[in-house]
Amino acid sequence: MVSSITKGYSQYETELTVSLNEYTNELDIRQEFTYFNDSNYNLGLIYFNDWANAYSDKNTALSKRFAQEFKKSLHLAKADERGTTTIVSVVDDSYKGLEWSRTEGKDILKVTLGDILPPKASTKIFITYKVKLPPNKFTPYGYNQRGGYYLKDWYLTPAVYDGKWHLYSNKNLEDLYTNVTNTVINFKFPDSLYLASNFDIKSLSEFPNGQFAQLKGNLQRGGEIILNTRNEFITHVTPHMKFLTNIEAPRYSPIGQGISINKVADFIYNNLGDYPHEKILVSELDYNKDPLYGLNQLPSFIRPYEEQFQFEMKFLKTAINSILRETVFLNPRKDQWLNSAIANYLMIAYVDEYYPDQKLMGKLSNIWGFRSFELAKMDFNDQYSFLYNLTARKNLDQALQTSNDSLIKFNQKIANKYKAGLGLAYLADYIGKERVDESIKTFFEYYKLNTVKVLDFESILKRSTTQDINWFFRDYVSTDRKIDFKIKKVEKVADSLLVTIKNKEGTNVPISVFGLKKDSIVSEYWFSDIEFEETFTIPNNQEDKLVLNYDQKIPEFNQRDNWKSLKGFLSSNKKLNFTFFKDAENPYYNQVFYVPVLNFNVYDGWAPGMRLYNKTLLERPFVYDFSPSYSFKEKAFVGYGKFSYRKYLSKSGLYVANYSIGASTSHFNENSRYTSITPALSFGFRPEDLLSNKREFLSFRYINILRDFDPSLVSLANDPENPDYSVFNARYVNRNNGILDYNSWFVDFQLAGNFSKLSFEYEYRKLFENNRQLNLRFFAGKFLSNNTQTDFFSFALDRPTDYLFDYGYLGRSEDSGIYSQQIIIAEGGFKSFLEQQYRFSNNWMATVNGSFNLWKWIELYGDAGLVKNTGVNEKFVYDSGVRLNLVTDYFELYLPVYSNNGWEVSQPNYGEKIRFIITVSPKTLTGLFTRKWF
């Protein structure tokens, strides 16, 4: 039923009566909502955000987002751990029941009105419902094991309608989009808990076994409630604003904390102005959702920063984020970059003002052994450009305007926020810091507590300067194009210098040029409108060198070609710089990194060596990597070397090309050495959605194997096919590496002097809703031609010979003992050792491998297949057993039970039949932890 037409800003009002049951972790809620149609259209339905229901099952948008990030906790959750919203009734102010339903994401409630709601009119809706809270092991929200609660986005709020509905599901991105509302919460909760909230606590009283609080939020988007079993929050009243905080700093005195909070409050007031609400909630929970990434996350006993600096940065970041969230009402899913830009710009400014000498590695920068690293020489604010470039160099950077739910996790949490802050700092360096500072303050003053768009901030910035800054929004904000310039040449003409600057990426933004003399700045210039290549004339101040972006205020993609010496050719050569272990990039040196390595296989034994390479912490196109080692067991040098060049071609489709040539040498048997030399070319393909785990690869390589044998190994040394051979290998791989659904297949072709073969492999993994996992793998291989005389190049049923030397065998020539039990799932993929005549195929082979879990990591496996050798009939083979899948593909055990051999568990020497997978490569293991970020 439609009520009277109303006027004025924010006609959205809601009052909730809430009771918390600490035994069932449920909230009983009765909500009265006044909805105002501030659009120019008639409304027949209303949508409400019901984000508490995002935990309800395995098919919600939140569950799917977790799966994309390789988190299966919500998928595997028990029924009693799931958070749900149970709607009891929805009625209008005439007590007429209204129809309701949920959208596909299950956390948006659709309510059909009894009567059409015309523009500028309001209606009341009464909703009774129950919210079952989840444990906080999925996200920070819900209840914890200590009896505390963190309630955020926990009640129904109106979705935004401005001619179209903005319906955004909960994806754990901190971006609920709702109308600004005047809210009253009448809250009953246990007497054992202490309450803190971003809303004003108008009253707080006790009754038997419980407490009652009335909370009020005017022109705020949502009520945040924190309940703890002890009183953790302290109120700090400063001249400009009041803080309610429990930010932890156990090694920093309470008096020092108070002084620092006053200091932070003054800085915020001077840069933003008055805060419109009674208090600012600055909680440890909010900080943990968006921490100071990097060294600040180390355990407290090894953190390298002074307690005062660390506390102030922690408090400042959390406070600014809270203030902007509570006052600047942008669309948080589409325009989130602007709040991030302001917050990180102020963070940068704070360090510049109060801690200009602060180093990124803090006190470690002064310690012998650390201070020589480029990382130790970096200023604290250098981390913003460094971490942005971490994804830019991987071709995974995304435009600032990208929707929040389309960003990969590293960009959403770190890189895009840092790029946004850097952008304002870059702009400030170009047009003047005072202009940007004043624009931010004006924007905050005029638009706080109002719905606002990025265009409003853009117009304020443009009015602050006479310089053209369209490039900032056109190129820097709206695209993912890199910024990369180089000084192509410098000519001396009379008392001037003709400087030719090339725009390598075509991103038309301003670039700074510095003149240096004995490492001191003697001149500085800004040049703009360099679309491709431009020549500029500057005075000759007897500079030693010209350097682009010397102060590194511009987040440039590559700074290795940013300088030009004016003292002749020889002086322009970069000096070599040898550094222990991988380090940050220094564009003014040719860096060579070295690190001790220790390799092992059964023939070389432990082989210590030294790895020399040029790969920095940031990815670079050309990389060399050499690792000579010495085998004390064989008394010989072993190791590898490789040159590779990576070229990123686009963001999607054919996105990368890799060119490489590598060589390695080691021992594959006692006193028997192999050497491989392999030139290779590969191409990578990916979809436009960077969140997708789907990748395709097409690779070509030519493997050349040279072998020397111990004369005592008569059977090998006298083999007419030994010692040397070459194989051309082409492979197409299609992989979708999901944690719930894994699909991967490849087609492989090999051509050598005496054989050619084609093989196909398909692998599928499925984690079902009943938490059962099915693993299937199919392999088929066929020789197109085969003139070999041994099984060395044959398809293998249970242990490939690895004639291409691709696999990490610890003892590749062993046919007995523990090293022979190592299994690498390839070709036939069998786990049991069958009779010798069935273990290889010189004609064709087809096998199926399967397993499913009984309980957690305990699985049953089974293999079946056909093996065909020339001149004999095909043979049906099978095996089965128990798989201990401790870490898939990294550490597994296979216990055979029954096969063509019979009941294997009852046969002698059963321990020799057990197979294992083990991965010791640090690079491979690192992928377990980085996959969720990139």
Side-chain angles (χ1 to χ4, degrees):
M1 178 178 177
V2 178
S3 63
S4 60
I5 295 179
T6 54
K7 296 181 179 180
Y9 181 77
S10 182
Q11 305 298 327
Y12 301 97
E13 296 185 355
T14 187
E15 182 169 356
L16 298 95
T17 300
V18 184
S19 178
L20 169 62
N21 186 325
E22 63 180 321
Y23 302 106
T24 61
N25 297 310
E26 292 179 335
L27 299 169
D28 289 306
I29 302 174
R30 287 182 289 116
Q31 184 171 0
E32 175 186 328
F33 196 88
T34 302
Y35 187 91
F36 177 71
N37 182 5
D38 55 1
S39 74
N40 296 318
Y41 304 91
N42 292 327
L43 291 179
L45 52 84
I46 297 173
Y47 289 94
F48 290 92
N49 301 299
D50 182 17
W51 279 22
N53 202 56
Y55 304 85
S56 59
D57 65 37
K58 305 175 185 186
N59 297 306
T60 64
L62 181 63
S63 293
K64 293 175 181 177
R65 179 75 181 194
F66 279 2
Q68 287 179 322
E69 297 175 354
F70 292 90
K71 293 164 61 177
K72 55 184 179 182
S73 57
L74 192 53
H75 185 88
L76 299 177
K78 300 175 183 176
D80 61 354
E81 293 178 322
R82 298 194 174 279
T84 58
T85 302
T86 303
I87 305 296
V88 178
S89 65
V90 181
V91 300
D92 60 21
D93 54 2
S94 62
Y95 300 102
K96 177 183 177 182
L98 302 179
E99 293 183 4
W100 61 270
S101 61
R102 297 192 185 280
T103 60
E104 183 179 355
K106 302 186 179 181
D107 53 10
I108 304 290
L109 195 69
K110 175 184 175 182
V111 176
T112 302
L113 300 176
D115 299 297
I116 294 297
L117 183 65
K120 314 309 175 189
S122 63
T123 186
K124 284 190 176 183
I125 298 175
F126 301 87
I127 308 176
T128 303
Y129 57 103
K130 186 188 297 286
V131 172
K132 184 178 183 301
L133 299 171
N136 67 347
K137 67 179 185 178
F138 312 122
T139 67
Y141 311 124
Y143 62 89
N144 61 40
Q145 294 181 340
R146 299 182 302 275
Y149 296 85
Y150 183 21
L151 309 183
K152 187 172 185 290
D153 306 331
W154 52 280
Y155 58 86
L156 300 177
T157 57
V160 174
Y161 180 78
D162 56 8
K164 68 173 183 179
W165 287 102
H166 296 272
L167 307 178
Y168 301 146
S169 286
N170 182 358
K171 297 184 178 180
N172 195 33
L173 300 174
E174 298 292 321
D175 58 357
L176 177 71
Y177 192 26
T178 183
N179 286 303
V180 181
T181 307
N182 292 331
T183 305
V184 175
I185 302 175
N186 301 301
F187 190 55
K188 294 180 181 179
F189 61 101
D191 59 359
S192 59
L193 299 175
Y194 295 89
L195 181 146
S197 177
N198 63 323
F199 280 8
D200 299 337
I201 302 177
K202 293 301 182 181
S203 65
L204 180 63
S205 58
E206 295 184 0
F207 59 90
N209 301 319
Q211 299 178 74
F212 174 83
Q214 187 176 72
L215 312 175
K216 190 171 184 180
N218 290 327
L219 302 182
Q220 290 180 264
R221 279 185 166 172
E224 186 175 335
I225 292 176
I226 301 174
L227 298 167
N228 287 312
T229 54
R230 57 189 181 91
N231 193 5
E232 299 177 348
F233 284 84
I234 299 173
T235 300
H236 287 266
V237 181
T238 74
H240 304 298
M241 55 197 73
K242 182 168 71 174
F243 296 97
L244 182 65
T245 181
N246 69 336
I247 292 290
E248 296 179 354
R251 297 185 181 182
Y252 191 33
S253 70
I255 294 176
Q257 291 182 39
I259 294 172
S260 289
I261 289 174
N262 273 1
K263 179 178 170 184
V264 169
D266 287 342
F267 177 82
I268 293 173
Y269 175 77
N270 291 334
N271 284 274
L272 290 179
D274 289 316
Y275 181 66
H277 299 303
E278 180 181 313
K279 66 174 182 293
I280 306 165
L281 181 66
V282 184
S283 70
E284 190 78 22
L285 283 164
D286 276 340
Y287 169 75
N288 289 333
K289 289 182 291 185
D290 187 15
L292 290 163
Y293 288 98
L295 296 176
N296 302 55
Q297 292 180 292
L298 293 172
S300 59
F301 65 91
I302 57 173
R303 284 179 190 164
Y305 303 118
E306 297 292 342
E307 292 298 324
Q308 178 180 342
F309 172 76
Q310 188 164 290
F311 174 80
E312 288 178 13
M313 296 305 294
K314 186 175 179 179
F315 191 91
L316 175 68
K317 182 170 189 176
T318 312
I320 291 175
N321 284 337
S322 295
I323 289 170
L324 294 175
R325 185 173 61 247
E326 294 280 2
T327 56
V328 180
F329 300 138
L330 292 156
N331 181 331
R333 184 147 295 181
K334 301 296 184 182
D335 300 323
Q336 76 287 345
W337 72 268
L338 181 52
N339 274 354
S340 296
I342 295 171
N344 285 285
Y345 173 77
L346 294 180
M347 294 280 292
I348 293 169
Y350 189 87
V351 173
D352 283 341
E353 181 174 346
Y354 294 109
Y355 298 97
D357 299 322
Q358 179 65 50
K359 296 296 182 183
L360 178 59
M361 295 188 71
K363 292 176 282 189
L364 296 178
S365 296
N366 300 319
I367 297 177
W368 181 89
F370 285 94
R371 62 189 177 203
S372 61
F373 282 90
E374 291 302 317
L375 206 59
K377 298 173 186 176
M378 289 172 61
D379 291 331
F380 185 83
N381 281 342
D382 289 340
Q383 67 176 304
Y384 294 93
S385 179
F386 178 79
L387 290 173
Y388 155 66
N389 268 310
L390 203 61
T391 52
R393 293 283 188 92
K394 293 177 180 289
N395 198 30
L396 288 171
D397 55 315
Q398 294 169 277
L400 294 182
Q401 282 189 343
T402 304
S403 178
N404 208 23
D405 61 345
S406 295
L407 294 171
I408 65 171
K409 186 175 181 180
F410 191 87
N411 289 339
Q412 192 267 329
K413 288 285 189 181
I414 303 173
N416 273 39
K417 292 181 178 182
Y418 285 9
K419 182 187 177 184
L422 279 171
L424 285 184
Y426 175 14
L427 192 63
D429 202 37
Y430 180 61
I431 67 174
K433 185 176 185 300
E434 67 284 352
R435 290 185 174 89
V436 173
D437 290 350
E438 192 58 37
S439 295
I440 291 174
K441 197 168 184 177
T442 301
F443 175 71
F444 186 80
E445 179 182 353
Y446 281 96
Y447 288 104
K448 61 189 174 186
L449 303 184
N450 283 278
T451 300
V452 63
K453 298 183 182 299
V454 171
L455 190 62
D456 299 316
F457 181 67
E458 181 179 348
S459 63
I460 291 174
L461 265 178
K462 287 181 175 178
R463 287 197 299 268
S464 74
T465 179
T466 58
Q467 293 175 274
D468 180 12
I469 61 171
N470 282 317
W471 58 267
F472 180 75
F473 295 94
R474 180 192 63 227
D475 294 287
Y476 191 88
V477 170
S478 301
T479 75
D480 58 10
R481 295 166 65 184
K482 279 73 167 179
I483 299 172
D484 195 8
F485 293 87
K486 69 175 289 186
I487 299 178
K488 188 174 182 180
K489 62 180 179 179
V490 179
E491 296 181 55
K492 295 182 181 180
V493 179
D495 58 351
S496 300
L497 299 174
L498 298 182
V499 184
T500 301
I501 300 175
K502 180 179 180 180
N503 187 343
K504 294 168 64 179
E505 292 288 336
T507 308
N508 193 355
V509 297
I511 185 70
S512 58
V513 178
F514 291 80
L516 271 64
K517 188 171 185 178
K518 295 181 179 179
D519 294 327
S520 296
I521 298 173
V522 296
S523 59
E524 179 182 356
Y525 309 93
W526 279 96
F527 299 114
S528 57
D529 292 324
I530 308 173
E531 192 169 350
F532 300 107
E533 185 178 299
E534 295 288 342
T535 299
F536 302 92
T537 302
I538 62 173
N540 188 344
N541 294 319
Q542 304 302 314
E543 293 94 340
D544 295 331
K545 64 184 75 168
L546 295 179
V547 185
L548 299 175
N549 189 23
Y550 180 71
D551 57 358
Q552 299 184 20
K553 291 293 180 70
I554 304 170
E556 202 177 358
F557 179 69
N558 172 27
Q559 298 183 30
R560 293 188 299 274
D561 53 7
N562 272 21
W563 67 290
K564 201 76 170 180
S565 173
L566 305 181
K567 297 299 181 181
F569 173 76
L570 292 177
S571 62
S572 67
N573 290 334
K574 295 181 181 180
K575 297 178 181 179
L576 282 176
N577 177 265
F578 287 89
T579 305
F580 176 72
F581 204 68
K582 188 185 292 187
D583 194 6
E585 191 172 83
N586 185 329
Y588 309 118
Y589 287 91
N590 286 315
Q591 294 169 286
V592 181
F593 304 107
Y594 62 93
V595 62
V597 293
L598 186 64
N599 299 307
F600 174 81
N601 68 54
V602 68
Y603 314 112
D604 289 314
W606 293 104
M610 186 66 66
R611 183 183 172 205
L612 302 169
Y613 58 103
N614 73 328
K615 185 176 181 181
T616 60
L617 292 172
L618 295 179
E619 190 174 301
R620 58 195 311 174
F622 174 72
V623 174
Y624 60 80
D625 193 347
F626 296 91
S627 181
S629 301
Y630 186 76
S631 166
F632 284 102
K633 190 171 182 179
E634 288 286 346
K635 295 181 173 55
F637 284 98
V638 294
Y640 68 86
K642 186 176 184 180
F643 295 96
S644 61
Y645 179 77
R646 175 171 293 176
K647 174 66 175 177
Y648 287 113
L649 305 172
S650 66
K651 191 64 69 177
S652 59
L654 175 57
Y655 78 100
V656 66
N658 294 288
Y659 312 85
S660 68
I661 182 167
S664 65
T665 183
S666 185
H667 290 85
F668 64 91
N669 210 325
E670 291 185 9
N671 199 27
S672 300
R673 175 191 292 271
Y674 82 89
T675 299
S676 70
I677 302 172
T678 307
L681 167 66
S682 68
F683 302 98
F685 306 82
R686 70 183 178 200
E688 291 186 12
D689 178 13
L690 296 190
L691 285 172
S692 170
N693 293 309
K694 184 176 182 180
R695 297 291 184 270
E696 298 171 77
F697 301 96
L698 180 63
S699 63
F700 305 92
R701 56 179 181 159
Y702 190 64
I703 307 103
N704 301 277
I705 304 296
L706 312 174
R707 294 188 296 171
D708 295 312
F709 296 90
D710 188 323
S712 65
L713 300 172
V714 178
S715 62
L716 292 177
N718 296 330
D719 189 330
E721 296 178 7
N722 289 319
D724 305 333
Y725 54 88
S726 298
V727 180
F728 170 74
N729 178 217
R731 174 176 287 198
Y732 170 76
V733 179
N734 187 305
R735 183 175 66 235
N736 194 344
N737 183 22
I739 197 169
L740 304 182
D741 290 278
Y742 176 95
N743 281 277
S744 175
W745 61 272
F746 70 75
V747 177
D748 186 272
F749 172 73
Q750 295 179 20
L751 175 65
N754 54 1
F755 74 88
S756 61
K757 63 199 298 191
L758 187 67
S759 61
F760 170 81
E761 178 183 299
Y762 174 76
E763 187 173 0
Y764 175 73
R765 299 174 191 161
K766 172 70 174 179
L767 186 62
F768 293 99
E769 291 191 17
N770 61 0
N771 299 336
R772 297 290 184 191
Q773 180 164 299
L774 174 67
N775 304 274
L776 291 174
R777 177 180 174 271
F778 172 76
F779 173 82
K782 177 74 172 76
F783 275 92
L784 304 179
S785 64
N786 190 359
N787 297 315
T788 62
Q789 302 301 314
T790 70
D791 280 325
F792 185 62
F793 298 104
S794 295
F795 295 114
L797 187 66
D798 54 57
R799 183 175 165 87
T801 58
D802 190 27
Y803 53 87
L804 298 182
F805 293 89
D806 286 335
Y807 306 137
Y809 278 127
L810 299 176
R812 66 179 61 249
S813 298
E814 299 301 288
D815 54 14
S816 63
I818 185 66
Y819 295 109
S820 71
Q821 296 172 237
Q822 182 185 3
I823 184 173
I824 291 173
I825 304 298
E827 300 187 6
F830 269 53
K831 289 70 182 184
S832 292
F833 296 112
L834 302 187
E835 295 181 29
Q836 185 65 33
Q837 63 265 37
Y838 308 131
R839 295 183 64 186
F840 296 96
S841 168
N842 60 17
N843 193 330
W844 61 265
M845 174 187 290
T847 61
V848 175
N849 317 121
S851 65
F852 67 93
N853 62 317
L854 293 176
W855 178 79
K856 292 187 177 180
W857 38 265
I858 299 177
E859 303 179 6
L860 294 181
Y861 74 82
D863 306 313
L866 293 172
V867 177
K868 177 71 169 72
N869 281 286
T870 301
V872 297
N873 293 332
E874 61 270 15
K875 172 68 175 179
F876 177 71
V877 290
Y878 60 91
D879 71 1
S880 61
V882 177
R883 176 191 187 191
L884 304 183
N885 186 6
L886 302 174
V887 184
T888 303
D889 296 333
Y890 295 90
F891 184 49
E892 305 177 20
L893 291 176
Y894 292 88
L895 310 175
V897 175
Y898 190 75
S899 69
N900 289 84
N901 297 328
W903 288 100
E904 300 202 40
V905 290
S906 62
Q907 296 172 2
N909 302 318
Y910 179 74
E912 298 178 5
K913 298 175 181 290
I914 297 173
R915 309 292 297 277
F916 65 87
I917 288 176
I918 186 168
T919 298
V920 295
S921 166
K923 181 180 179 181
T924 305
L925 292 171
T926 301
L928 277 172
F929 305 101
T930 59
R931 61 184 182 176
K932 68 180 180 181
W933 288 94
F934 300 102

